[in-house]
Amino acid sequence: MLNFFRFKGEHREFYLFFKNTLGFTPRNTKLYQIAFIHKSKSLDMGQGRKVNNERLEYLGDAVLSAIVAEFLYKKYPNQGEGFLTEMRSKIVSRANLNKLAQKIGLSQLVQYNRVSQGIFKSIDGDTFEALIGAIYLEKGYNFTRHIVIDKIINLHLDVDTMAHTDWNFKSKIIDWGQKNHKKISFEVERVFYQGKESRRHYDVRVKVDDTPAEHAIEYSIKAAEQLAAEKTYKKYQEQGIIPTHTEEPAALGTH
């Protein structure tokens, strides 16, 4: 693997991402290089051992969840557990992390098999979590918390707006179905694994009066249902089936 911090000319985009977006230059560069390697582009280390960012993603998921939980606990001292849980789900949802990774320029740096791009719907969000895992391993919790809160949440997320928007698309499309005498159901079409050590994936499709609508792939049935519901709801709005005057969820700030 090339050291993309040593060869600033050849790997200038990586160097600038860390310097300008995150405000630091890593020392353990191999660790961060792994964070950007999607499983579809795994490095073969021999003897059946492949290296990709899945383990870092697993760690980053837990660290990010803890940081966001602490952030929300302090930001909203008068709110109950239900509100805090829903807000954390909004922030760390795969759809939101995908958009966030694209906004900060992380998605342009991911190494993946572009032939299989359409299969992997959460490459950007997965890599974002892997990056958080790498920062945590090298710099520790306090530094990682500083990066997540000061360099990402405060600069790129409008948390107060998110708190006042309707995020639960599953509830929204079910409510629409009830009002318009439509039967809304969610069907798990397949369950599969990607790679030898990857987590289970669920492919869930929305059905409207038993007619297939949009589908989504996620690590849990609940998350896949939410994403499939969001895709169906927004597509129906584009087609004029659902009115567009209702409030849209705002996952990312505009500032």
Side-chain angles (χ1 to χ4, degrees):
M1 292 189 293
L2 290 176
N3 185 327
F4 49 61
F5 299 103
R6 181 177 301 166
F7 300 101
K8 296 179 184 178
E10 186 177 356
H11 298 279
R12 186 170 181 269
E13 67 277 15
F14 288 96
Y15 175 79
L16 292 177
F17 171 76
F18 279 89
K19 180 181 178 181
N20 297 337
T21 303
L22 302 183
F24 76 99
T25 300
R27 293 183 179 180
N28 187 351
T29 57
K30 288 186 178 181
L31 178 65
Y32 291 91
Q33 284 178 286
I34 293 173
F36 286 95
I37 299 175
H38 184 256
K39 58 193 171 186
S40 64
K41 201 77 170 180
S42 296
L43 297 177
D44 191 345
M45 308 303 289
Q47 297 182 337
R49 181 170 176 260
K50 295 184 179 297
V51 173
N52 56 52
N53 65 6
E54 284 189 324
R55 283 170 53 82
L56 286 173
E57 176 198 337
Y58 158 79
L59 178 61
D61 174 58
V63 174
L64 180 63
S65 182
I67 292 173
V68 171
E70 179 187 359
F71 168 79
L72 294 171
Y73 182 86
K74 293 178 178 178
K75 181 175 177 62
Y76 298 105
N78 298 318
Q79 293 288 354
E81 183 269 343
F83 170 86
L84 298 176
T85 298
E86 182 173 351
M87 279 298 297
R88 181 177 61 182
S89 296
K90 290 181 182 181
I91 293 174
V92 303
S93 70
R94 190 60 51 194
N96 192 56
L97 292 185
N98 283 342
K99 294 175 184 177
L100 182 57
Q102 293 162 13
K103 186 176 184 183
I104 66 176
L106 174 63
S107 61
Q108 302 174 17
L109 307 177
V110 185
Q111 300 179 49
Y112 64 93
N113 184 348
R114 298 180 184 277
V115 176
S116 305
Q117 180 179 5
I119 300 175
F120 308 109
K121 302 297 184 180
S122 57
I123 291 177
D124 298 334
D126 293 346
T127 304
F128 182 89
E129 289 182 335
L131 173 62
I132 298 303
I135 296 173
Y136 170 75
L137 285 179
E138 185 190 44
K139 302 290 189 179
Y141 181 82
N142 288 335
F143 185 89
T144 308
R145 178 175 59 187
H146 157 68
I147 294 296
V148 170
I149 296 175
D150 297 332
K151 298 294 185 179
I152 297 174
I153 292 179
N154 288 342
L155 294 181
H156 299 287
L157 292 180
D158 189 343
V159 178
D160 288 326
T161 297
M162 293 177 71
H164 294 91
T165 54
D166 187 357
W167 172 76
N168 194 332
F169 279 98
K170 183 179 178 181
S171 294
K172 290 180 71 172
I173 199 165
I174 289 175
D175 290 343
W176 170 81
Q178 291 175 343
K179 292 177 181 178
N180 293 273
H181 308 290
K182 302 286 187 181
K183 177 186 174 184
I184 306 297
S185 59
F186 296 83
E187 180 178 308
V188 178
E189 293 191 328
R190 59 181 178 136
V191 180
F192 62 97
Y193 291 85
Q194 290 286 358
K196 183 178 179 181
E197 299 179 354
S198 64
R199 287 184 282 174
R200 185 179 299 175
H201 288 62
Y202 297 90
D203 188 352
V204 175
R205 185 175 297 277
V206 178
K207 289 192 173 182
V208 181
D209 283 339
D210 295 325
T211 299
E214 298 300 301
H215 77 107
I217 298 172
E218 273 291 357
Y219 294 128
S220 71
I221 294 176
K222 183 177 180 181
E225 287 178 344
Q226 280 288 356
L227 184 55
E230 177 181 358
K231 291 168 67 176
T232 301
Y233 194 91
K234 289 184 175 180
K235 183 173 183 179
Y236 278 16
Q237 284 188 320
E238 293 174 358
Q239 295 175 344
I241 299 174
I242 295 179
T244 58
H245 59 76
T246 54
E247 191 179 41
E248 289 282 356
L252 296 176
T254 56
H255 56 281

